[in-house]
Amino acid sequence: MTSLTTVSRRDALCLTAAALALAPGLARADAAAVEAELRKLYGDRKPGSGKIRIDVPQIAENGLVVPISVEVESPMTEKDHVKTVHVFADGNPLPGIASFRFTPACGKAAASARMRLAQTQNIVAIAEMADGSLFSTMSEVKVTIGGCGG
């Protein structure tokens, strides 16, 4: 029977390798990471305000299950509809939370989901319209118990 305090050299090397492999994923995104993702998606186009609304709790007691709803004002016609809505969090290991795609057949540009948040952070939602225009909004969620290992 092996003692819990005795670790072979091989086990120690395996544990170290596993920890190093996981270490990059433990880093947190920030506002710059969200901006970088937005640049990848939209280049230098700047979003306007209005049209998009996110509904998230101001305080999330448990970061494992934080509800979010997004809605964009649009007639959802062939010429004037919402194409996509992307949701980002600036304090999670990866900034991208969700992406929703819409067509005029949807009738309404609205979606809801649950997200996992590691810590108190800003949630950013950005909508791209059929004509290429962008609209964004942001809301802070205070997390009391982190959902991503925090």
Side-chain angles (χ1 to χ4, degrees):
M1 185 163 158
T2 305
S3 168
L4 291 177
T5 58
T6 304
V7 177
S8 71
R9 181 171 173 244
R10 172 181 252 167
D11 290 341
L13 288 173
C14 287
L15 288 171
T16 302
L20 290 174
L22 293 174
L26 297 176
R28 302 283 185 231
D30 57 12
V34 172
E35 286 295 321
E37 289 296 315
L38 292 175
R39 261 193 310 283
K40 277 191 231 175
L41 288 170
Y42 304 115
D44 291 332
R45 291 190 288 165
K46 297 295 180 198
S49 60
K51 288 202 179 197
I52 185 168
R53 183 178 63 80
I54 56 175
D55 185 18
V56 291
Q58 288 182 333
I59 298 174
E61 292 183 18
N62 184 349
L64 288 172
V65 287
V66 181
I68 181 170
S69 296
V70 295
E71 187 171 345
V72 185
E73 294 175 33
S74 172
M76 296 303 284
T77 63
E78 192 61 42
K79 291 186 177 195
D80 187 6
H81 66 274
V82 179
K83 287 175 46 179
T84 58
V85 173
H86 296 286
V87 180
F88 300 95
D90 67 7
N92 272 3
L94 297 173
I97 295 290
S99 294
F100 303 101
R101 303 203 188 301
F102 300 97
T103 69
C106 294
K108 184 177 184 180
S112 61
R114 293 188 184 275
M115 60 186 167
R116 188 177 278 188
L117 299 178
Q119 62 190 18
T120 296
Q121 57 194 291
N122 293 313
I123 306 303
V124 177
I126 187 160
E128 181 178 17
M129 309 302 282
D131 66 1
S133 61
L134 304 174
F135 296 92
S136 70
T137 189
M138 182 174 62
S139 183
E140 182 184 57
V141 177
K142 290 180 175 39
V143 177
T144 57
I145 300 173
C148 297

